[in-house]
Amino acid sequence: MNVLVVGSGGREHSIVWKLLQELGKSDTIYVAPGNGGTKILGMDLNRARLGTDLDKACVVNVPIKSDDLKHLTYFARNNDVDLTIVGPEAPLAAGIVDAFSYQGLNIFGPTKIEARIESSKSSTMRLASRLKVPIPEYMVAEDRDIAMRCGRYFLQTGNQRGVVKADGLAAGKGVKVYSSFEELEKAVNEMMRDEVFGSAGKKVILQRFLEGEEASFIVWTDGKSVVPLIPTQDHKRAYDGDKGPNTGGMGAYTRPNATRGLEQKIMREIIHPVVETLPNYRGILYAGLMVVNGQPYLLEFNCRYGDPETQAVMPLLKSSLLDITNACIDGRLDQAKIEWHPDEALCVVLATKGYPDDYSDNKGKEVYVPERLPDNTIVYHAGTALKDGKLVNSGGRVLNVVGKGKNLPVAYTNAYRVIGHDGVHFDNMHFRKDIGWRTLGNDFMESVGVSKFIS
Ligand code: GLY
């Protein structure tokens, strides 16, 4: 069997890692374009295969970008790809599922129209509002003056804070929180006048800022059945204590306190009403939530796996990802057997200093990952590349170190103990030391020396 994984991040590496446990020596996992980690994995497997009877699939990086639908389609057709799993949102929003399906190729994910659940935030808010899904108060503007007036309303009422969001895809950067007129004006001008996110920011959503705890509630669906993954919590801000600019995500962990006991409520009030309107949707639905005093509110939907949430979740999935994926595509998710390890997992993102702003001066540094890692620790690559035979950092988020354990403190320890000069590192590395802090609590964080920001 040949599987194509589209994307180049830690999320895609964790999917490859899981598939590798399920496939055998007559199988190939292509990654387009993959990263330094998936490249090394392929080379290591080839070496291990020499003179042995290694029962593992081949892993091959394919130099086609994840948004190059034309060449991805050619590649899948010419290389007998039996299944394609798409990591990032951009190819889904551009219609990769439509293009592959038109050619009779088997692919996991929503169609272009269905992917609007992520690529048009205003349509999703309208849908949620119509379905009475709990959402923050919001308004939509396609004109800068109107946006300023709507935004000012949130400043002058309630908790006097608001959020400006680009309507379209902005690579995780199109969300700005404001608590003053100046901040509102800056965000609106960047999106609507300066078009820093291109056409994605021509229309904006102004939302009431909700004070609570964020959580990621991700489900598989075939349009009829819905099966949740283990709930997770991401850490979007760059620095400890949820300070600094928003990033793509600096770390994630499983089963946060925020969603404990709320799973059925989330399914009933948020997931099921929306899935009922999407009878042909086959893929992932990822609800970004804010939980306020035990009430979950939908902030947005994504149409793909979360990054770095997936890196924390894949090590705990006991069942076959291939079987679940095919069950979704074939519309028989109700028959899929889905089991999880009872452990917890915690993922720490190692980023290049400067990320999410300009980090170009800090790229090209050698990245060290010990050949042997302790049990219960996994390193997934993201922004890495092989240059002259050396592994170097090539992006903002470079590596994901995942610790597993019988509880969250053990998972935390298993992740962090391998980070540093004797272990996983590179020059100008930046990472948060407080992943999981909201659930781990003050005493634990104090015991590891990072308590000062918890009130
Ligand atoms: N964890 C944030 C995202 O995947 O969009």
Side-chain angles (χ1 to χ4, degrees):
M1 170 175 213
N2 297 329
V3 182
L4 171 63
V5 176
V6 176
S8 61
R11 167 182 51 202
E12 289 75 27
H13 192 174
S14 71
I15 291 170
V16 170
W17 175 90
K18 179 72 175 113
L19 294 176
L20 206 49
Q21 294 165 43
E22 300 173 13
L23 293 167
K25 65 178 167 207
S26 56
D27 304 313
T28 302
I29 306 169
Y30 295 109
V31 202
N35 56 40
T38 50
K39 176 122 192 157
I40 290 173
L41 183 59
M43 288 172 4
D44 286 349
L45 287 166
N46 273 340
R47 204 171 303 123
R49 206 167 275 116
L50 286 175
T52 69
D53 193 23
L54 184 74
D55 187 24
K56 285 267 181 230
C58 296
V59 174
V60 181
N61 274 12
V62 178
I64 304 176
K65 290 200 175 130
S66 59
D67 56 0
D68 183 351
L69 303 199
K70 186 170 104 185
H71 289 105
L72 288 170
T73 316
Y74 289 165
F75 180 85
R77 220 177 43 202
N78 293 336
N79 292 279
D80 300 321
V81 168
D82 301 291
L83 170 67
T84 298
I85 301 177
V86 185
E89 60 279 15
L92 292 167
I96 189 169
V97 170
D98 311 61
F100 271 52
S101 304
Y102 186 71
Q103 299 280 342
L105 293 162
N106 197 33
I107 184 163
F108 175 68
T111 59
K112 180 174 179 164
I113 294 238
E114 290 162 342
R116 278 177 64 77
I117 198 137
E118 175 162 1
S119 65
S120 172
K121 294 187 172 42
S122 59
S123 325
T124 300
M125 282 296 116
R126 252 196 321 272
L127 174 71
S129 169
R130 185 161 60 75
L131 298 171
K132 306 215 176 336
V133 166
I135 51 173
E137 197 181 349
Y138 80 99
M139 300 180 199
V140 178
E142 290 189 68
D143 170 281
R144 212 149 48 95
D145 272 353
I146 306 278
M148 288 304 298
R149 278 189 238 173
C150 296
R152 194 183 283 139
Y153 162 78
F154 293 115
L155 273 179
Q156 291 171 342
T157 56
N159 60 1
Q160 300 171 352
R161 290 174 82 183
V163 183
V164 188
K165 290 185 178 181
D167 184 54
L169 299 182
K173 294 182 184 148
V175 178
K176 306 279 174 202
V177 177
Y178 63 90
S179 52
S180 67
F181 183 79
E182 291 69 32
E183 286 171 355
L184 165 67
E185 191 172 41
K186 183 166 179 282
V188 167
N189 280 345
E190 273 176 13
M191 290 184 203
M192 303 190 87
R193 186 193 62 195
D194 307 338
E195 298 187 9
V196 293
F197 305 121
S199 60
K202 280 192 172 156
K203 190 193 275 187
V204 297
I205 325 293
L206 292 305
Q207 258 177 7
R208 166 87 59 215
F209 177 81
L210 294 181
E211 195 81 61
E213 227 183 286
E214 280 194 60
S216 305
F217 197 85
I218 302 174
V219 303
W220 287 291
T221 182
D222 62 2
K224 303 189 297 278
S225 303
V226 183
V227 179
L229 283 73
I230 297 176
T232 42
Q233 187 167 61
D234 187 8
H235 297 62
K236 301 253 168 46
R237 302 294 198 94
Y239 308 122
D240 282 359
D242 292 338
K243 303 276 184 337
N246 260 340
T247 67
M250 294 299 289
Y253 67 99
T254 52
R255 302 187 183 94
N257 277 345
T259 52
R260 200 150 294 166
L262 291 180
E263 288 89 345
Q264 286 186 1
K265 190 175 172 71
I266 295 166
M267 290 289 273
R268 191 176 61 245
E269 294 184 6
I270 296 175
I271 305 290
H272 281 306
V274 172
V275 171
E276 275 165 26
T277 70
L278 301 167
N280 299 313
Y281 194 103
R282 271 118 210 248
I284 292 290
L285 257 185
Y286 159 171
L289 306 176
M290 184 68 82
V291 181
V292 185
N293 301 324
Q295 174 61 51
Y297 290 86
L298 175 73
L299 298 183
E300 60 187 26
F301 266 121
N302 298 316
C303 62
R304 36 92 195 161
Y305 286 108
D307 184 344
E309 292 94 327
T310 310
Q311 292 88 307
V313 159
M314 281 302 151
L316 302 186
L317 179 59
K318 244 194 213 174
S319 309
S320 157
L321 180 64
L322 264 179
D323 289 351
I324 299 168
T325 306
N326 279 320
C328 277
I329 296 173
D330 298 343
R332 46 176 181 78
L333 184 60
D334 57 338
Q335 292 158 34
K337 184 169 143 259
I338 301 179
E339 285 181 324
W340 298 95
H341 290 284
D343 287 356
E344 302 297 349
L346 183 144
C347 169
V348 184
V349 171
L350 306 184
T352 301
K353 196 168 166 200
Y355 172 78
D357 300 319
D358 182 22
Y359 54 83
S360 44
D361 285 351
N362 293 325
K363 282 202 317 194
K365 309 284 183 222
E366 190 161 358
V367 171
Y368 299 91
V369 181
E371 225 159 83
R372 290 188 66 79
L373 289 161
D375 285 349
N376 288 326
T377 307
I378 307 166
V379 173
Y380 299 123
H381 291 231
T384 64
L386 271 186
K387 200 170 165 208
D388 305 326
K390 281 188 179 159
L391 186 68
V392 297
N393 63 336
S394 59
R397 292 191 291 173
V398 179
L399 296 170
N400 303 264
V401 181
V402 179
K404 271 194 309 175
K406 64 179 192 303
N407 55 38
L408 200 58
V410 176
Y412 178 100
T413 307
N414 284 340
Y416 279 96
R417 70 180 169 167
V418 301
I419 303 171
H421 268 286
D422 302 336
V424 186
H425 71 281
F426 51 92
D427 278 354
N428 292 322
M429 173 171 90
H430 163 69
F431 62 97
R432 280 181 62 162
K433 321 238 173 357
D434 65 342
I435 302 305
W437 68 274
R438 288 178 185 272
T439 294
L440 284 163
N442 274 335
D443 289 349
F444 179 83
M445 296 317 291
E446 231 167 73
S447 74
V448 293
V450 277
S451 66
K452 53 191 176 299
F453 50 84
I454 303 178
S455 53

